[in-house]
Each structure stands twice: as structure tokens, then as C-alpha cells.
Amino acid sequence: MVNGLLTTPQRIREATDALFGIGAEEVVLYCCAPDPDQVDRLTDALF
């Protein structure tokens, strides 16, 4: 299960690109850390 975690910006982009590539219109990602800065880091990884 740990190997499936998206732990780098590259893996996040690859996973979301793959989902959009097969027709997903929305992707929901959850931050699992209590640090609110995680949302900013996730945004930076995607855009």
C-alpha cells in the first residue's frame, strides 16, 4: 500500500494526468497531514 502513495510532485502529476487521460473530469486528492501548508504544496505540484 505504501508503494501506491503519491509522495512526490512528479508522481502526483503522473497520476492525475493518467486519470484525466482516461476521461476523468474531476479528481479529488486528500491531504493526510494536519499541516494546512500541505494544500499549498499540493497546488504547487499540480500547477
Short mmCIF file of all heavy atoms in Angstrom, two decimals:
data_model
loop_
_atom_site.label_atom_id
_atom_site.label_comp_id
_atom_site.label_asym_id
_atom_site.label_seq_id
_atom_site.Cartn_x
_atom_site.Cartn_y
_atom_site.Cartn_z
N MET A 1 0.82 -1.18 0.00
CA MET A 1 0.00 0.00 0.00
C MET A 1 0.88 1.26 0.00
O MET A 1 0.56 2.23 -0.67
CB MET A 1 -0.91 0.00 1.21
CG MET A 1 -1.91 1.09 1.21
SD MET A 1 -3.20 0.67 2.37
CE MET A 1 -3.63 2.24 2.95
N VAL A 2 1.96 1.23 0.73
CA VAL A 2 2.85 2.39 0.81
C VAL A 2 3.40 2.73 -0.57
O VAL A 2 3.54 3.90 -0.92
CB VAL A 2 4.00 2.13 1.82
CG1 VAL A 2 5.04 3.22 1.75
CG2 VAL A 2 3.44 2.01 3.22
N ASN A 3 3.68 1.72 -1.38
CA ASN A 3 4.23 1.97 -2.71
C ASN A 3 3.26 2.72 -3.61
O ASN A 3 3.66 3.33 -4.58
CB ASN A 3 4.64 0.67 -3.38
CG ASN A 3 5.85 0.05 -2.71
OD1 ASN A 3 6.63 0.73 -2.08
ND2 ASN A 3 5.97 -1.26 -2.84
N GLY A 4 1.98 2.69 -3.29
CA GLY A 4 0.97 3.37 -4.09
C GLY A 4 0.74 4.81 -3.70
O GLY A 4 0.00 5.52 -4.38
N LEU A 5 1.37 5.25 -2.62
CA LEU A 5 1.18 6.63 -2.19
C LEU A 5 1.84 7.61 -3.16
O LEU A 5 2.90 7.34 -3.70
CB LEU A 5 1.77 6.84 -0.79
CG LEU A 5 1.10 6.08 0.34
CD1 LEU A 5 1.86 6.31 1.65
CD2 LEU A 5 -0.34 6.50 0.50
N LEU A 6 1.19 8.72 -3.37
CA LEU A 6 1.73 9.76 -4.25
C LEU A 6 2.53 10.72 -3.37
O LEU A 6 1.98 11.63 -2.77
CB LEU A 6 0.59 10.49 -4.97
CG LEU A 6 -0.37 9.59 -5.75
CD1 LEU A 6 -1.50 10.41 -6.32
CD2 LEU A 6 0.37 8.83 -6.83
N THR A 7 3.83 10.50 -3.31
CA THR A 7 4.65 11.23 -2.34
C THR A 7 5.57 12.27 -2.97
O THR A 7 6.31 12.93 -2.25
CB THR A 7 5.50 10.24 -1.53
OG1 THR A 7 6.30 9.48 -2.43
CG2 THR A 7 4.62 9.31 -0.70
N THR A 8 5.55 12.40 -4.29
CA THR A 8 6.38 13.40 -4.94
C THR A 8 5.53 14.18 -5.94
O THR A 8 4.52 13.66 -6.44
CB THR A 8 7.56 12.77 -5.70
OG1 THR A 8 7.05 11.99 -6.80
CG2 THR A 8 8.42 11.90 -4.79
N PRO A 9 5.92 15.40 -6.25
CA PRO A 9 5.17 16.16 -7.26
C PRO A 9 5.05 15.41 -8.59
O PRO A 9 4.01 15.42 -9.23
CB PRO A 9 5.98 17.44 -7.41
CG PRO A 9 6.64 17.63 -6.09
CD PRO A 9 6.97 16.22 -5.64
N GLN A 10 6.13 14.75 -9.00
CA GLN A 10 6.10 14.00 -10.25
C GLN A 10 5.05 12.89 -10.22
O GLN A 10 4.29 12.73 -11.18
CB GLN A 10 7.47 13.41 -10.55
CG GLN A 10 7.49 12.63 -11.84
CD GLN A 10 8.85 12.01 -12.15
OE1 GLN A 10 9.83 12.30 -11.47
NE2 GLN A 10 8.91 11.18 -13.15
N ARG A 11 4.98 12.14 -9.15
CA ARG A 11 4.00 11.05 -9.05
C ARG A 11 2.58 11.58 -9.01
O ARG A 11 1.67 10.99 -9.57
CB ARG A 11 4.28 10.17 -7.83
CG ARG A 11 5.61 9.47 -7.98
CD ARG A 11 5.76 8.07 -7.51
NE ARG A 11 4.63 7.22 -7.57
CZ ARG A 11 4.34 6.32 -6.62
NH1 ARG A 11 5.10 6.21 -5.56
NH2 ARG A 11 3.30 5.53 -6.75
N ILE A 12 2.39 12.72 -8.35
CA ILE A 12 1.06 13.34 -8.31
C ILE A 12 0.63 13.73 -9.71
O ILE A 12 -0.49 13.44 -10.15
CB ILE A 12 1.04 14.55 -7.36
CG1 ILE A 12 1.26 14.09 -5.91
CG2 ILE A 12 -0.26 15.32 -7.49
CD1 ILE A 12 1.56 15.22 -4.95
N ARG A 13 1.52 14.40 -10.45
CA ARG A 13 1.20 14.83 -11.82
C ARG A 13 0.96 13.63 -12.72
O ARG A 13 0.03 13.63 -13.54
CB ARG A 13 2.31 15.71 -12.38
CG ARG A 13 2.27 17.13 -11.84
CD ARG A 13 3.23 18.04 -12.58
NE ARG A 13 4.61 17.58 -12.56
CZ ARG A 13 5.48 17.84 -11.57
NH1 ARG A 13 5.10 18.56 -10.54
NH2 ARG A 13 6.71 17.38 -11.62
N GLU A 14 1.77 12.59 -12.61
CA GLU A 14 1.59 11.40 -13.43
C GLU A 14 0.24 10.76 -13.18
O GLU A 14 -0.47 10.37 -14.12
CB GLU A 14 2.71 10.39 -13.17
CG GLU A 14 4.05 10.80 -13.71
CD GLU A 14 5.18 9.90 -13.24
OE1 GLU A 14 4.96 9.02 -12.36
OE2 GLU A 14 6.31 10.07 -13.74
N ALA A 15 -0.13 10.65 -11.91
CA ALA A 15 -1.40 10.01 -11.56
C ALA A 15 -2.59 10.84 -12.05
O ALA A 15 -3.53 10.29 -12.63
CB ALA A 15 -1.48 9.80 -10.05
N THR A 16 -2.55 12.15 -11.83
CA THR A 16 -3.68 12.97 -12.27
C THR A 16 -3.73 13.05 -13.78
O THR A 16 -4.82 13.00 -14.36
CB THR A 16 -3.62 14.38 -11.64
OG1 THR A 16 -2.35 14.98 -11.89
CG2 THR A 16 -3.86 14.32 -10.14
N ASP A 17 -2.59 13.14 -14.45
CA ASP A 17 -2.58 13.14 -15.92
C ASP A 17 -3.18 11.85 -16.46
O ASP A 17 -3.95 11.87 -17.43
CB ASP A 17 -1.16 13.31 -16.46
CG ASP A 17 -0.63 14.71 -16.29
OD1 ASP A 17 -1.41 15.64 -15.97
OD2 ASP A 17 0.60 14.89 -16.48
N ALA A 18 -2.85 10.73 -15.84
CA ALA A 18 -3.39 9.44 -16.28
C ALA A 18 -4.91 9.40 -16.10
O ALA A 18 -5.63 8.93 -16.98
CB ALA A 18 -2.73 8.30 -15.52
N LEU A 19 -5.39 9.90 -14.98
CA LEU A 19 -6.84 9.89 -14.74
C LEU A 19 -7.56 10.80 -15.73
O LEU A 19 -8.60 10.42 -16.28
CB LEU A 19 -7.13 10.32 -13.31
CG LEU A 19 -6.70 9.31 -12.25
CD1 LEU A 19 -6.73 9.93 -10.86
CD2 LEU A 19 -7.59 8.07 -12.30
N PHE A 20 -7.03 11.99 -15.96
CA PHE A 20 -7.64 12.88 -16.94
C PHE A 20 -7.53 12.29 -18.35
O PHE A 20 -8.42 12.47 -19.18
CB PHE A 20 -7.03 14.27 -16.88
CG PHE A 20 -7.40 15.03 -15.64
CD1 PHE A 20 -6.42 15.59 -14.84
CD2 PHE A 20 -8.72 15.18 -15.25
CE1 PHE A 20 -6.74 16.30 -13.69
CE2 PHE A 20 -9.07 15.88 -14.10
CZ PHE A 20 -8.08 16.44 -13.32
N GLY A 21 -6.47 11.56 -18.60
CA GLY A 21 -6.27 10.93 -19.90
C GLY A 21 -7.30 9.87 -20.23
O GLY A 21 -7.55 9.60 -21.41
N ILE A 22 -7.88 9.25 -19.22
CA ILE A 22 -8.90 8.24 -19.47
C ILE A 22 -10.31 8.80 -19.30
O ILE A 22 -11.28 8.06 -19.25
CB ILE A 22 -8.71 6.98 -18.59
CG1 ILE A 22 -8.80 7.32 -17.10
CG2 ILE A 22 -7.41 6.29 -18.94
CD1 ILE A 22 -8.83 6.09 -16.20
N GLY A 23 -10.40 10.14 -19.21
CA GLY A 23 -11.71 10.76 -19.23
C GLY A 23 -12.23 11.33 -17.93
O GLY A 23 -13.35 11.83 -17.88
N ALA A 24 -11.46 11.25 -16.86
CA ALA A 24 -11.93 11.84 -15.61
C ALA A 24 -12.08 13.35 -15.78
O ALA A 24 -11.25 14.00 -16.41
CB ALA A 24 -10.96 11.56 -14.47
N GLU A 25 -13.17 13.88 -15.27
CA GLU A 25 -13.38 15.33 -15.32
C GLU A 25 -12.99 16.00 -14.01
O GLU A 25 -12.73 17.19 -13.99
CB GLU A 25 -14.83 15.62 -15.65
CG GLU A 25 -15.21 15.16 -17.06
CD GLU A 25 -16.64 15.48 -17.41
OE1 GLU A 25 -17.31 16.24 -16.67
OE2 GLU A 25 -17.10 14.97 -18.44
N GLU A 26 -12.96 15.23 -12.95
CA GLU A 26 -12.56 15.74 -11.64
C GLU A 26 -11.75 14.67 -10.92
O GLU A 26 -12.01 13.48 -11.07
CB GLU A 26 -13.79 16.06 -10.77
CG GLU A 26 -14.63 17.20 -11.27
CD GLU A 26 -15.81 17.50 -10.35
OE1 GLU A 26 -15.92 16.88 -9.28
OE2 GLU A 26 -16.60 18.35 -10.72
N VAL A 27 -10.81 15.11 -10.14
CA VAL A 27 -10.00 14.22 -9.30
C VAL A 27 -9.96 14.86 -7.92
O VAL A 27 -9.65 16.04 -7.79
CB VAL A 27 -8.58 14.03 -9.87
CG1 VAL A 27 -7.72 13.21 -8.92
CG2 VAL A 27 -8.64 13.38 -11.25
N VAL A 28 -10.27 14.08 -6.90
CA VAL A 28 -10.23 14.57 -5.53
C VAL A 28 -8.99 14.01 -4.85
O VAL A 28 -8.79 12.79 -4.83
CB VAL A 28 -11.50 14.17 -4.75
CG1 VAL A 28 -11.43 14.63 -3.31
CG2 VAL A 28 -12.74 14.72 -5.44
N LEU A 29 -8.17 14.89 -4.32
CA LEU A 29 -6.96 14.49 -3.60
C LEU A 29 -7.10 14.94 -2.15
O LEU A 29 -7.54 16.05 -1.88
CB LEU A 29 -5.72 15.12 -4.23
CG LEU A 29 -5.49 14.78 -5.70
CD1 LEU A 29 -4.37 15.63 -6.27
CD2 LEU A 29 -5.16 13.31 -5.86
N TYR A 30 -6.73 14.07 -1.24
CA TYR A 30 -6.82 14.38 0.18
C TYR A 30 -5.43 14.58 0.76
O TYR A 30 -4.53 13.80 0.49
CB TYR A 30 -7.51 13.24 0.93
CG TYR A 30 -8.95 13.09 0.56
CD1 TYR A 30 -9.35 12.19 -0.40
CD2 TYR A 30 -9.91 13.87 1.19
CE1 TYR A 30 -10.67 12.05 -0.75
CE2 TYR A 30 -11.24 13.75 0.84
CZ TYR A 30 -11.61 12.83 -0.13
OH TYR A 30 -12.93 12.71 -0.47
N CYS A 31 -5.28 15.60 1.54
CA CYS A 31 -4.04 15.80 2.29
C CYS A 31 -4.20 15.07 3.62
O CYS A 31 -5.19 15.27 4.32
CB CYS A 31 -3.81 17.29 2.55
SG CYS A 31 -3.55 18.21 1.05
N CYS A 32 -3.27 14.24 3.92
CA CYS A 32 -3.37 13.41 5.13
C CYS A 32 -2.58 13.96 6.30
O CYS A 32 -2.42 13.28 7.30
CB CYS A 32 -2.92 11.99 4.81
SG CYS A 32 -3.95 11.19 3.58
N ALA A 33 -2.07 15.15 6.19
CA ALA A 33 -1.29 15.74 7.27
C ALA A 33 -2.08 16.91 7.87
O ALA A 33 -2.84 17.56 7.18
CB ALA A 33 0.04 16.23 6.75
N PRO A 34 -1.90 17.17 9.14
CA PRO A 34 -2.63 18.27 9.78
C PRO A 34 -2.11 19.66 9.39
O PRO A 34 -2.75 20.66 9.68
CB PRO A 34 -2.43 18.01 11.27
CG PRO A 34 -1.15 17.25 11.36
CD PRO A 34 -1.09 16.42 10.11
N ASP A 35 -0.98 19.72 8.70
CA ASP A 35 -0.39 20.99 8.32
C ASP A 35 -1.15 21.60 7.14
O ASP A 35 -1.17 21.03 6.05
CB ASP A 35 1.07 20.75 7.93
CG ASP A 35 1.81 22.01 7.52
OD1 ASP A 35 1.22 23.11 7.58
OD2 ASP A 35 2.98 21.89 7.13
N PRO A 36 -1.79 22.76 7.31
CA PRO A 36 -2.55 23.36 6.21
C PRO A 36 -1.68 23.76 5.02
O PRO A 36 -2.19 23.92 3.91
CB PRO A 36 -3.22 24.59 6.84
CG PRO A 36 -2.52 24.82 8.12
CD PRO A 36 -1.86 23.55 8.53
N ASP A 37 -0.38 23.89 5.22
CA ASP A 37 0.52 24.20 4.10
C ASP A 37 0.58 23.07 3.08
O ASP A 37 1.02 23.27 1.95
CB ASP A 37 1.92 24.52 4.60
CG ASP A 37 2.00 25.85 5.32
OD1 ASP A 37 1.14 26.73 5.05
OD2 ASP A 37 2.90 26.01 6.16
N GLN A 38 0.12 21.88 3.46
CA GLN A 38 0.08 20.75 2.53
C GLN A 38 -0.78 21.09 1.31
O GLN A 38 -0.48 20.67 0.20
CB GLN A 38 -0.46 19.49 3.21
CG GLN A 38 0.50 18.84 4.15
CD GLN A 38 1.61 18.11 3.42
OE1 GLN A 38 1.82 18.22 2.22
NE2 GLN A 38 2.36 17.34 4.16
N VAL A 39 -1.84 21.84 1.52
CA VAL A 39 -2.71 22.20 0.40
C VAL A 39 -1.94 23.06 -0.60
O VAL A 39 -2.03 22.85 -1.81
CB VAL A 39 -3.97 22.94 0.91
CG1 VAL A 39 -4.82 23.43 -0.25
CG2 VAL A 39 -4.78 22.02 1.82
N ASP A 40 -1.15 24.00 -0.11
CA ASP A 40 -0.34 24.84 -0.99
C ASP A 40 0.70 24.00 -1.74
O ASP A 40 0.92 24.20 -2.93
CB ASP A 40 0.35 25.95 -0.21
CG ASP A 40 -0.64 26.96 0.34
OD1 ASP A 40 -1.70 27.17 -0.28
OD2 ASP A 40 -0.33 27.55 1.40
N ARG A 41 1.32 23.07 -1.05
CA ARG A 41 2.32 22.21 -1.71
C ARG A 41 1.67 21.34 -2.77
O ARG A 41 2.25 21.12 -3.84
CB ARG A 41 3.07 21.39 -0.67
CG ARG A 41 4.05 22.22 0.14
CD ARG A 41 4.99 21.38 0.96
NE ARG A 41 4.38 20.81 2.14
CZ ARG A 41 4.25 21.43 3.29
NH1 ARG A 41 4.66 22.68 3.43
NH2 ARG A 41 3.70 20.83 4.33
N LEU A 42 0.49 20.85 -2.49
CA LEU A 42 -0.24 20.04 -3.47
C LEU A 42 -0.59 20.89 -4.69
O LEU A 42 -0.42 20.47 -5.84
CB LEU A 42 -1.50 19.44 -2.84
CG LEU A 42 -2.31 18.51 -3.69
CD1 LEU A 42 -1.48 17.36 -4.24
CD2 LEU A 42 -3.50 17.99 -2.90
N THR A 43 -1.04 22.10 -4.46
CA THR A 43 -1.35 23.02 -5.56
C THR A 43 -0.12 23.30 -6.40
O THR A 43 -0.17 23.28 -7.63
CB THR A 43 -1.94 24.33 -5.02
OG1 THR A 43 -3.12 24.03 -4.27
CG2 THR A 43 -2.28 25.29 -6.12
N ASP A 44 1.01 23.55 -5.75
CA ASP A 44 2.26 23.80 -6.46
C ASP A 44 2.66 22.60 -7.32
O ASP A 44 3.19 22.76 -8.41
CB ASP A 44 3.39 24.13 -5.50
CG ASP A 44 3.22 25.49 -4.82
OD1 ASP A 44 2.41 26.31 -5.32
OD2 ASP A 44 3.87 25.71 -3.80
N ALA A 45 2.39 21.41 -6.83
CA ALA A 45 2.75 20.21 -7.56
C ALA A 45 1.90 20.03 -8.82
O ALA A 45 2.35 19.49 -9.83
CB ALA A 45 2.60 18.97 -6.68
N LEU A 46 0.68 20.52 -8.77
CA LEU A 46 -0.23 20.33 -9.90
C LEU A 46 -0.18 21.45 -10.92
O LEU A 46 -0.46 21.21 -12.10
CB LEU A 46 -1.66 20.18 -9.38
CG LEU A 46 -1.93 18.90 -8.59
CD1 LEU A 46 -3.27 18.98 -7.89
CD2 LEU A 46 -1.86 17.71 -9.51
N PHE A 47 0.13 22.64 -10.50
CA PHE A 47 0.04 23.78 -11.43
C PHE A 47 1.35 24.50 -11.57
O PHE A 47 2.13 24.66 -10.77
CB PHE A 47 -1.05 24.76 -10.97
CG PHE A 47 -2.39 24.11 -10.87
CD1 PHE A 47 -2.91 23.77 -9.65
CD2 PHE A 47 -3.12 23.84 -12.02
CE1 PHE A 47 -4.18 23.17 -9.55
CE2 PHE A 47 -4.36 23.23 -11.93
CZ PHE A 47 -4.89 22.90 -10.70
#
